[in-house]
Amino acid sequence: MNDQLQEILEDLHAAESKCQGFEKQYGLLSEYFFDAFTNGEIADDGNLDFVEWAGYYKSKLDRLRRYRVALLKESPAVKRFQKIAVYEAVA
């Protein structure tokens, strides 16, 4: 694994870890929290945890996107798998 992929993966794991802490604290999965928070269904009411949680979740999503892009550029095995998956979906 190259350095870029490793760095992205480390950032992704760090963001996931922070999100899991908030999930345990508030009893809500980050995906559902973020959706409700961004739709105004959960107000921050001065609770900096919510702003921080939303930031870590956005960071997680960004790092996941970056990881997928970088992995597809770097890994011939992933490219072959992707072609097989597309072929099977069409067949």
Side-chain angles (χ1 to χ4, degrees):
M1 183 179 302
N2 72 29
D3 290 342
Q4 180 189 13
L5 278 174
Q6 186 62 39
E7 183 179 333
I8 293 169
L9 194 56
E10 288 172 9
D11 289 348
L12 176 60
H13 287 158
E16 284 178 336
S17 177
K18 292 290 190 175
C19 286
Q20 287 173 352
F22 287 117
E23 290 173 354
K24 289 177 185 175
Q25 181 177 349
Y26 291 101
L28 184 64
L29 290 174
S30 294
E31 177 182 355
Y32 297 111
F33 158 76
F34 188 74
D35 186 48
F37 186 73
T38 56
N39 288 324
E41 297 168 22
I42 297 176
D44 65 20
D45 293 330
N47 186 342
L48 296 180
D49 280 358
F50 291 165
V51 174
E52 188 176 357
W53 188 2
Y56 281 120
Y57 188 70
K58 283 172 59 174
S59 179
K60 175 186 169 180
L61 295 178
D62 177 66
R63 295 316 185 275
L64 187 56
R65 181 192 58 77
R66 287 183 186 188
Y67 180 80
R68 288 178 180 150
V69 168
L71 189 63
L72 287 174
K73 287 181 183 177
E74 296 296 323
S75 176
V78 170
K79 289 178 185 176
R80 282 195 304 276
F81 177 74
Q82 188 179 34
K83 287 178 185 176
I84 291 168
V86 168
Y87 174 77
E88 289 176 351
V90 172

